[in-house]
Amino acid sequence: MGSFRLERVGNLIKELVSETLPRLKDPRIGFVSVTDVKVSPDLRYAKVFVSFFGDEQAKSDSLKALNNAKGYIKKEIAPELKLRRIPDLSFEPDDSIEYGVKMSALISQARMSDEKLHELNDSEHKSDE
C-alpha cells in the first residue's frame, strides 16, 4: 500500500481525533493536542501521538483516560473515515514540543552568556587602551 495513502489516512485520523477530544466528558483529560498519527501498512493499527499540558501526574491520567476512551473515539471517527476496517487506536505521549521548549531555553541561555562574554571582553580591551 502506498505511503501517500497511509499519510492521507493518518492525517484524516489526526484531524478527526482532534475534533473528537473536546467532546470527551472525562475530567482526567486535560489540555491535549494530537501531534501525529502513524498508521500501520495494513491499516489495522494507528498510533496517535499526543502532547499534554500539565505535570507528570496530569499527563499520566490523561493518557490512561484516552486509552480507556479509544473505543468511543474509534466509533466517533468511523463514519468519516469510510474504510472497510477502522484501525485500532493507541495513544502514545509525544514529548517533542516539551523537548523543543527546553532546547529553545538552552539556546537562549547560551546566547545570553555569549553576549555577556563579548561585553566582558570588550570592556577589558577598552581598559587596556
Side-chain angles (χ1 to χ4, degrees), residues 5 9 12 16 77-87:
R5 181 164 188 239
V9 170
L12 182 57
L16 295 171
I77 68 172
E80 296 295 321
L81 276 180
K82 297 180 177 118
L83 294 173
R84 189 175 305 153
R85 173 177 284 156
I86 306 304

Side-chain angles (χ1 to χ4, degrees), residues 39-52:
V39 182
S40 66
D42 61 2
L43 296 176
R44 289 181 181 245
Y45 306 99
K47 279 188 181 181
V48 181
F49 293 92
V50 289
S51 180
F52 303 99

Side-chain angles (χ1 to χ4, degrees), residues 23-100:
R23 296 194 303 259
L24 296 176
K25 303 274 192 260
D26 195 321
R28 296 177 294 171
I29 300 174
F31 181 75
V32 179
S33 177
V34 179
T35 57
D36 197 14
V37 174
K38 298 291 182 201
V39 182
S40 66
D42 61 2
L43 296 176
R44 289 181 181 245
Y45 306 99
K47 279 188 181 181
V48 181
F49 293 92
V50 289
S51 180
F52 303 99
F53 182 75
D55 61 8
E56 289 302 316
Q57 184 62 43
K59 290 177 187 180
S60 175
D61 291 346
S62 291
L63 188 61
K64 286 178 189 173
L66 287 174
N67 279 307
N68 286 342
K70 64 186 173 184
Y72 172 78
I73 295 169
K74 184 177 172 178
K75 185 183 79 151
E76 288 292 306
I77 68 172
E80 296 295 321
L81 276 180
K82 297 180 177 118
L83 294 173
R84 189 175 305 153
R85 173 177 284 156
I86 306 304
D88 287 329
L89 305 176
S90 66
F91 290 91
E92 302 288 332
D94 181 1
D95 298 327
S96 63
I97 294 173
E98 206 171 288
Y99 178 76

